[in-house]
Amino acid sequence: MPAEFTMKRCVQFAETDMAGVLHFSNYFRYMEEIEHAFWRSLGLTVYLREGDPHLSWPRVSASCEYAAPLHFEDELEMKLRVTKVGDKSLQYEVEFRRNGQRVAMGKIAAVCCVTQPGSFAATTIPKEIRSRLDRGPLPSPQPSP
Amino acid sequence: MPAEFTMKRCVQFAETDMAGVLHFSNYFRYMEEIEHAFWRSLGLTVYLREGDPHLSWPRVSASCEYAAPLHFEDELEMKLRVTKVGDKSLQYEVEFRRNGQRVAMGKIAAVCCVTQPGSFAATTIPKEIRSRLDRGPLPSPQPSP
Amino acid sequence: MPAEFTMKRCVQFAETDMAGVLHFSNYFRYMEEIEHAFWRSLGLTVYLREGDPHLSWPRVSASCEYAAPLHFEDELEMKLRVTKVGDKSLQYEVEFRRNGQRVAMGKIAAVCCVTQPGSFAATTIPKEIRSRLDRGPLPSPQPSP
Amino acid sequence: MPAEFTMKRCVQFAETDMAGVLHFSNYFRYMEEIEHAFWRSLGLTVYLREGDPHLSWPRVSASCEYAAPLHFEDELEMKLRVTKVGDKSLQYEVEFRRNGQRVAMGKIAAVCCVTQPGSFAATTIPKEIRSRLDRGPLPSPQPSP
């Protein structure tokens, strides 16, 4: 049951818009932040600066459903769950909660790629990464209380 | 056949990331930019500064599928199509093309709301706006060549 | 000696650009983040959602000097120092360090304003805020080691 | 009198913040956008994707003075003026006007660098670029009317 990860995040001023709420595009940035924190928690990084070709995870799709607006200084609890580990791809979802209430739900599908600046070539997920991710079917998301 | 709108957009440096491509979250900003240009083309604006309660369109869902990466200074052709006009809601999709090739496809569903800073209340789409949007069933998107 | 505040910050992927470094505009966002964390540490917030006119601090100037690039996942130590408290205005500087080395230095001057959406009117800094800020001349910044 | 360039720019929704104005950090992005459009107008680009080491212009300092807030859908006229061409460095300023009134003034100093992802090495500005930039002392900025 390991491929689950939680993180807190405070909504910043520059992330709001003139409607007074977190801009809807920023949820996708938050999803990526928790993804990267998740990789770090596994001792991995999504990107290696030195050396030439290396792994990254370009997105094939991303989506978010918004249930309630978020405001400046709101404290979020985010939960990432890996929902599918394919041969060369990965899917995860991120639940956004505030005070225990779900306020948004996002999904990302990404492909494992050997990456050079500006270009990507899909590759099989390395065993070492798979072994950290692929520990049996993951529990389906708990319904929001 | 009116509720369709096209716009060109050049990928800016600050919108790229260290993988050398347009960051996936920025497609959602581009979608909003064309939506707002579309509203302006109808003589409308999504937001009115003066006066108190006014209309805006908070999102209930947003998604994007990515077919090919975009790079700094790429010239995009974007096409917005309104796909559904409900009683209080609106759906549209945005096709991203470069050199005639589809590189991404996004969708947004939004609700017509009377808006005050930080809060929203769903309302029926005003006749004046509906009459500009709701001109019979829209053609389904053309397949990518 | 209180009007000094420190915070850690990790460089996020979406904040980098295709040159592989933290985009220079994002240092200004980081400065604002530490400013707001500083306000919170004083029991204040820069912005109040409810109620009508309220206080915020629009900027009259902002600047940053960059000594070394920052990269994805770099861990920064940021230090804010209030350098001047005027009748209606405030100046502060933010030092960015990585591994004890200064990598950038920013400054912001802001005006205390009664704020309504989209407009600002300068006002005297309230006593309550001043008393938390204005505790004698602040020490000048320590030279970078 | 050539090293001057003008551009129009419309303030986008996602660039505003909950105070209802263009976020102060985005002026720096606008400055970079006009810089890059200026390079393009000279037949140059700031960054080359293919090939290995290439030129870019990391910033050594950036500043902006704000005279009046900008709002969603404001139409700006921006004017870039190159103010100094050094051996390895470049300085320029950008004036922001709305309806003929100056609303902000920014400055950037950048160094010509041979760039690899994540690292920079200062280099002499190539003759070809210098010859396009360095056409005698530039006129000092006209005072705002």
Side-chain angles (χ1 to χ4, degrees):
Chain A
M1 304 302 92
E4 194 171 287
F5 183 76
T6 60
M7 189 180 92
K8 291 195 183 302
R9 179 71 154 80
C10 177
V11 175
Q12 298 295 331
F13 191 86
E15 298 166 348
T16 62
D17 59 34
M18 65 185 287
V21 300
L22 180 62
H23 191 262
F24 80 105
S25 67
N26 288 324
Y27 291 72
F28 294 93
R29 295 186 166 222
Y30 283 30
M31 282 188 243
E32 188 171 77
E33 288 187 18
I34 190 173
E35 177 190 340
H36 291 175
F38 166 65
W39 288 119
R40 284 191 291 273
S41 78
L42 300 183
L44 301 168
T45 180
V46 291
Y47 211 88
L48 300 171
R49 273 202 299 284
E50 336 307 342
D52 270 17
H54 51 263
L55 292 185
S56 74
W57 299 85
R59 285 73 175 79
V60 289
S61 67
S63 63
C64 193
E65 301 195 358
Y66 307 92
L70 288 169
H71 301 98
F72 176 50
E73 295 187 339
D74 275 356
E75 288 286 348
L76 297 182
E77 311 102 40
M78 297 168 65
K79 180 177 289 194
L80 177 149
R81 293 182 199 96
V82 176
T83 51
K84 188 177 173 194
V85 182
D87 189 42
K88 301 181 173 183
S89 66
L90 185 68
Q91 293 178 26
Y92 67 88
E93 61 184 19
V94 177
E95 189 181 356
F96 298 75
R97 289 181 180 231
R98 179 187 46 197
N99 301 329
Q101 288 291 123
R102 183 187 294 183
V103 290
M105 189 76 180
K107 294 183 186 183
I108 285 182
V111 177
C112 187
C113 284
V114 176
T115 303
Q116 287 180 297
S119 67
F120 305 99
T123 192
T124 303
I125 298 176
K127 267 189 194 168
E128 161 196 347
I129 294 180
R130 175 176 300 282
S131 70
R132 302 198 195 192
L133 284 172
D134 190 22
R135 315 206 180 167
L138 289 160
S140 49
Q142 299 86 3
S144 192
Chain B
M1 304 301 92
E4 193 170 288
F5 183 77
T6 60
M7 189 180 93
K8 290 194 183 304
R9 179 70 153 81
C10 176
V11 175
Q12 299 295 331
F13 191 87
E15 297 166 349
T16 63
D17 60 33
M18 64 185 288
V21 301
L22 179 62
H23 191 261
F24 81 106
S25 68
N26 287 325
Y27 291 72
F28 294 94
R29 294 186 167 223
Y30 283 31
M31 283 189 240
E32 188 171 78
E33 288 189 19
I34 191 173
E35 177 190 339
H36 291 174
F38 167 66
W39 289 118
R40 284 191 290 273
S41 78
L42 299 183
L44 301 168
T45 180
V46 292
Y47 212 88
L48 301 170
R49 274 202 300 285
E50 338 305 343
D52 270 19
H54 51 262
L55 292 186
S56 74
W57 298 86
R59 286 71 176 80
V60 289
S61 67
S63 63
C64 192
E65 301 194 359
Y66 308 92
L70 288 168
H71 301 99
F72 177 49
E73 295 187 339
D74 276 354
E75 288 286 349
L76 298 183
E77 313 101 41
M78 297 168 66
K79 180 177 288 193
L80 177 149
R81 293 182 200 95
V82 176
T83 51
K84 188 176 173 193
V85 182
D87 189 41
K88 301 181 173 182
S89 67
L90 186 68
Q91 292 178 27
Y92 68 88
E93 61 185 18
V94 176
E95 190 181 355
F96 298 76
R97 289 182 181 232
R98 179 187 46 197
N99 301 328
Q101 288 291 122
R102 183 186 293 184
V103 290
M105 189 76 179
K107 294 184 186 183
I108 286 182
V111 177
C112 188
C113 283
V114 177
T115 303
Q116 287 179 297
S119 67
F120 306 99
T123 191
T124 303
I125 299 177
K127 268 189 194 167
E128 160 197 345
I129 294 179
R130 174 176 300 281
S131 70
R132 303 198 194 191
L133 285 172
D134 190 20
R135 313 203 182 167
L138 288 160
S140 49
Q142 299 85 5
S144 193
Chain C
M1 304 302 91
E4 195 172 287
F5 184 77
T6 59
M7 190 180 92
K8 291 195 183 303
R9 179 71 154 79
C10 177
V11 175
Q12 298 295 331
F13 191 86
E15 297 165 350
T16 62
D17 59 35
M18 65 186 288
V21 300
L22 179 62
H23 191 262
F24 81 105
S25 68
N26 287 324
Y27 291 72
F28 294 93
R29 295 186 166 222
Y30 282 31
M31 282 189 242
E32 188 171 79
E33 287 189 18
I34 190 174
E35 177 191 339
H36 292 174
F38 167 65
W39 288 119
R40 285 191 290 273
S41 78
L42 300 183
L44 302 168
T45 180
V46 293
Y47 212 89
L48 302 169
R49 273 203 300 285
E50 338 304 344
D52 270 20
H54 51 263
L55 290 186
S56 73
W57 298 85
R59 286 73 175 80
V60 288
S61 67
S63 64
C64 192
E65 301 194 358
Y66 307 93
L70 288 168
H71 301 99
F72 176 51
E73 296 188 337
D74 276 355
E75 289 285 349
L76 298 182
E77 312 103 39
M78 297 168 66
K79 180 177 288 194
L80 178 149
R81 293 183 200 96
V82 176
T83 51
K84 188 177 174 193
V85 182
D87 189 42
K88 301 182 172 181
S89 66
L90 185 68
Q91 292 179 26
Y92 68 88
E93 61 185 18
V94 176
E95 189 181 356
F96 298 76
R97 289 183 180 229
R98 179 186 47 196
N99 301 329
Q101 288 291 122
R102 183 187 292 183
V103 290
M105 188 77 180
K107 294 183 186 184
I108 286 183
V111 177
C112 187
C113 283
V114 176
T115 303
Q116 287 179 298
S119 67
F120 305 100
T123 191
T124 303
I125 299 176
K127 268 190 195 167
E128 161 197 346
I129 294 180
R130 174 176 298 282
S131 70
R132 302 198 196 192
L133 285 171
D134 190 21
R135 313 204 181 166
L138 288 161
S140 48
Q142 298 84 5
S144 193
Chain D
M1 302 305 89
E4 193 171 287
F5 183 76
T6 60
M7 190 181 93
K8 291 194 182 303
R9 179 71 154 80
C10 177
V11 175
Q12 299 296 331
F13 191 86
E15 297 166 350
T16 62
D17 59 34
M18 63 186 289
V21 300
L22 179 62
H23 191 261
F24 81 105
S25 68
N26 287 325
Y27 291 71
F28 294 93
R29 295 186 166 223
Y30 283 31
M31 282 188 242
E32 188 172 77
E33 288 189 18
I34 190 172
E35 177 191 340
H36 292 175
F38 166 66
W39 289 119
R40 285 191 290 273
S41 77
L42 300 182
L44 301 169
T45 180
V46 292
Y47 211 89
L48 302 170
R49 274 202 299 284
E50 337 306 343
D52 271 17
H54 51 263
L55 292 185
S56 74
W57 299 84
R59 285 73 175 79
V60 289
S61 66
S63 63
C64 192
E65 301 195 359
Y66 308 92
L70 288 168
H71 302 97
F72 177 50
E73 295 187 340
D74 276 354
E75 288 286 349
L76 296 184
E77 312 102 39
M78 297 168 66
K79 180 176 289 194
L80 177 149
R81 292 182 199 96
V82 176
T83 51
K84 188 176 173 192
V85 182
D87 189 42
K88 303 182 172 182
S89 66
L90 185 68
Q91 293 179 27
Y92 68 87
E93 60 185 18
V94 176
E95 189 181 357
F96 299 75
R97 288 180 181 233
R98 180 187 46 197
N99 300 329
Q101 288 292 122
R102 183 186 294 183
V103 290
M105 188 77 179
K107 295 183 185 181
I108 286 183
V111 177
C112 187
C113 283
V114 177
T115 303
Q116 287 179 296
S119 67
F120 305 100
T123 192
T124 304
I125 298 176
K127 268 190 195 166
E128 161 197 346
I129 295 179
R130 174 176 300 282
S131 71
R132 302 198 195 192
L133 285 172
D134 189 21
R135 315 205 180 165
L138 289 160
S140 50
Q142 299 85 5
S144 194

